[in-house]
Amino acid sequence: MARGAPLLELRGISKSFGGVTALSGVDFTLEVGEIHGLVGENGAGKSTLMKIIAGVHTSFEGEMRIAGRPARHRSARSARDAGIGMVHQELSVVPELSVAENVMLGVQPVNRLGLVDWPGMMRRARALLAELGIDVDPRVPIGRLPLGMQQLVEIARVLSSGARIVILDEPTSALSPPEVEVLFGLLRRVRDSGRSIVFISHFLEDVLAICDRVTCFRNGRLIETAPVSAIDKGWIITRMIGAGHEELEQGYAGEIRLDSRPGAPVVLACEAASGPGFREVSLEARAGEVLGIYGSMGAGQLDLARALFGRTALSGGRLSLDGRPIALRNTAAARRAGIAFVPESRRSMLFAQEPVYRNVSISILDRISRLWVKPAVERAIAQRHVEALGIRPPSVHPRLGTLSGGNQQKVALAKWLTHLPRVLVLSEPTRGMDVGAKEEVVRIVRALREQGIAVLVVSTEPETVLSLADRILVMKRGQVCEEFAGGTVSKDRLLAAA
Amino acid sequence: MSTSDSAVLPRSGGMGWLKGQLRNIAPFATLLVLVALFSIASPSFATLDNVANIARQVSVTAIIAVGLTFVILCAEIDLSVASVANAVGIMVAFFTLQDQSVNIANIPLPGAAAILLALLGSLALGAVTAFGVTVIGIPSFIMTLAMLQIGAGICAMLVRGQIAYSVPAPIEMLGSGSIGPVPWIVVVAVLVLALGHIVLSYTRFGRYVYMVGGNREAAEYSGVNVKLVLAAVLVISAVCSGIAGMLGVAHFGSAQQNEFDNYLLDAISAVVVGGTSLFGGQGGIGNTVVGLLVLGVLNNGLDHVQIDSFLKILIRGLILLLALVINVYAQRLRAKA
């Protein structure tokens, strides 16, 4: 590691959003020619820090130095001019354009007439790709390349714009093992050329395999930085989830007993199912059992949930309900088969302009009316749920958009409670909720389980799965990689499996 | 998702309610202002005869606009309405015995068969549009643009530049006859409007239309067959256009190419001026009725006052623009209210 002034130095960085502290007093240094891993749970402050470095957030406390000189970005553009480039998890390539055009996006060479200098562009793109050891024809449209290759090209683009610091957000989440190896080869070459890389990832093996130093974040604070040679996975997980007191108070950490019910009848079974975002997933959801499916962002469990509700089609494998094979042509077919779904985003499950009762009745309309709607019946049904779930205000008339977020989420659940489904799929059921609302959800889910419903809880938050599930599947890169059934499980073991 | 919106509670007081109702109030206020203006400007405007005139003048547009209201409530658009109307009007004439002087190689059939075939024709055109939009996935804007051209093509093929005059007797009666002082076409328009209102407000299908328009994704996640609803509204739109086309041909007294060309803009204007949201889910037949009256009063009233007839076209354009501004603005206010 080179001595002298660090490439990037941050002192006392604090940032809060409307009273909520996202970062407090963070000191962070990035040396010349190092790959620096950044780990922490969702909301720990990694992304906020990176957005400050990349000039996305321009108001914050503390100081920043680049190569020893004080720096303060006014915009993402001025950060880029200062040599900072970022590759987001969602790639920003233009699929229809060629590799060369993507590499040179925004910095295309022009000739004297002001037109794009095509031969010059090809030459420069080819030289850059060769220098980085990326073996690809610069003329092919980038959309035709595998995702891993697209990512390499995007990194090449960031480097071609003169970046000395490259921030990679979850670069390996969508890559196959051989692609990860190719990426690592590229990253090492970039490092050896004297540039530095910040590597944000949930995949601790990847962090340990490629990084020189690792920094752990928790609750907006930088907990510890250590050279990779001195640490292991357990060291990272302990620092990510904390010593335990605070967590124990919330009842999530420590050992959680799993009450799986191996003898219960299988309601929904999924055999080697593949689809967009997941492949060869087999699982069995049993009556009166809550099956949790955990995975980090992009691991495929949310995509699987959508497919189980007929929103996306399976490309392979089989589904069966109560032992009979079923094909879900659309969501209406899934609903009629007795499958219910609450999606992760509030926006995509509710009708903000409609009164509460219409939001509740929409999925049972064909049961309570053939031709004519019966608003009185709808209102009576909705009133029951509003009271049972403690929805505020306790009325079925206000437009849904006027309710608070937690109450909206309860309405979204209420629409499946009149005619109980056989299978209830909940995607991120407690995301963004305060502790009280989360407990409410736990109570509702338990009550549904007691009535013999097969509940699937799908989440990227380990706490959600741990607090609800009787049995847990862990997904990684679109596949189920581990099952916890019976005995106990803890957050660190869940994180270690993902 | 954050809980930062948790403090949003129903806003008390009248202002919030008024803002939410802007889309219903503005068109009605416009109508009142226009009626007042023309009544003052011209003694011949506010007469019973003229009211009947206005009703007759908007009838064909009204029937088309009912179908279009369904489509726009679903946040889609149908640009083929006038063209389908024209094509179906010509179809019914094509299957009717024409005068010797009309030189068309047509297929004369009994009146009932002609009407049935023309209705089936409108159903078929609607089904093609529905197939293109829901199964293939062509945006309705483009798909119905193609259907506009196809409808025009059918018109051209069937009449080959000629003009047909005869339509089956029941169509003749509904299009140009009257019961007592009331023209049949006004009765039909009122019935179609009433039927449209009943379907939208009181049936399960109508509810689905509002829900699909309000939030398509949420409808999908509630287990509503969104594609089926979209297909249905496009077929309804085509059938309404077909009925309007048949009656229109009788009303005008002839069936020829391009005779419905103004009706696309008129029908869209009526729906939008009435306050049905271009983003779907808000509005209804009540709004469309007000929109029809605004357009009808405007067109008719401008004839009663001394005004450059070329300026009339511009005025209509400006009124439509104003309605669009209010439409979009009302959406924003309501989202905030």
Side-chain angles (χ1 to χ4, degrees), chain B residues 135-155:
Chain B
V135 180
I136 302 179
I138 305 169
S140 60
F141 175 79
I142 296 299
M143 181 65 206
T144 58
L145 203 56
M147 289 308 290
L148 183 157
Q149 190 65 27
I150 288 170
I154 292 171
C155 295

Side-chain angles (χ1 to χ4, degrees), chain B residues 146-165:
Chain B
M147 289 308 290
L148 183 157
Q149 190 65 27
I150 288 170
I154 292 171
C155 295
M157 293 290 292
L158 291 183
V159 291
R160 298 189 165 270
Q162 299 282 312
I163 300 175
Y165 299 97

Side-chain angles (χ1 to χ4, degrees), chain A residues 244-265:
Chain A
H245 320 295
E246 31 189 331
E247 244 69 27
L248 270 174
E249 277 163 15
Q250 291 178 24
Y252 292 133
E255 298 286 302
I256 305 275
R257 279 207 66 76
L258 292 173
D259 304 318
S260 48
R261 304 179 52 194

Side-chain angles (χ1 to χ4, degrees), chain A residues 173-387:
Chain A
S173 62
L175 303 188
S176 64
E179 286 177 323
V180 169
E181 276 316 307
V182 176
L183 173 71
F184 284 178
L186 171 70
L187 296 186
R188 290 192 189 100
R189 280 191 293 281
V190 171
R191 171 188 62 193
D192 296 343
S193 71
R195 288 172 279 206
S196 301
I197 292 165
V198 179
F199 188 94
I200 305 173
S201 182
H202 278 104
F203 296 103
L204 304 184
E205 292 97 341
D206 292 345
V207 171
L208 292 169
I210 185 68
C211 295
D212 301 308
R213 290 197 300 162
V214 178
T215 293
C216 298
F217 278 83
R218 185 172 79 241
N219 294 338
R221 293 177 184 279
L222 189 155
I223 302 301
E224 196 167 345
T225 300
V228 76
S229 53
I231 61 173
D232 61 8
K233 214 167 156 180
W235 184 93
I236 297 179
I237 291 176
T238 325
R239 276 150 192 80
M240 270 170 70
I241 63 181
H245 320 295
E246 31 189 331
E247 244 69 27
L248 270 174
E249 277 163 15
Q250 291 178 24
Y252 292 133
E255 298 286 302
I256 305 275
R257 279 207 66 76
L258 292 173
D259 304 318
S260 48
R261 304 179 52 194
V266 173
V267 181
L268 181 73
C270 180
E271 245 180 281
S274 300
F278 60 92
R279 54 211 149 95
E280 314 225 319
V281 172
S282 296
L283 60 84
E284 293 181 339
R286 300 183 192 132
E289 186 184 77
V290 180
L291 174 62
I293 307 181
Y294 169 73
S296 54
M297 208 57 143
Q301 75 275 30
L302 302 185
D303 306 285
L304 173 69
R306 276 190 280 274
L308 292 179
F309 189 57
R311 183 69 212 269
T312 50
L314 291 185
S315 58
R318 276 183 303 278
L319 285 180
S320 61
L321 194 69
D322 294 324
R324 276 185 298 276
I326 46 165
L328 301 175
R329 284 183 52 237
N330 50 40
T331 59
R335 177 173 63 80
R336 279 193 295 270
I339 301 172
F341 181 62
V342 180
E344 58 274 14
S345 129
R346 223 176 275 146
R347 256 185 63 78
S348 58
M349 60 186 169
L350 295 163
F351 305 89
Q353 303 290 339
E354 299 285 344
V356 168
Y357 77 88
R358 292 191 182 182
N359 276 279
V360 174
S361 65
I362 178 74
S363 49
I364 48 163
L365 224 45
D366 55 352
R367 290 175 187 273
I368 57 182
S369 70
R370 282 208 60 77
L371 178 62
W372 308 108
V373 284
K374 297 177 182 131
V377 177
E378 292 174 45
R379 282 193 285 265
I381 290 173
Q383 189 64 43
R384 246 176 34 224
H385 294 305
V386 163
E387 282 163 17

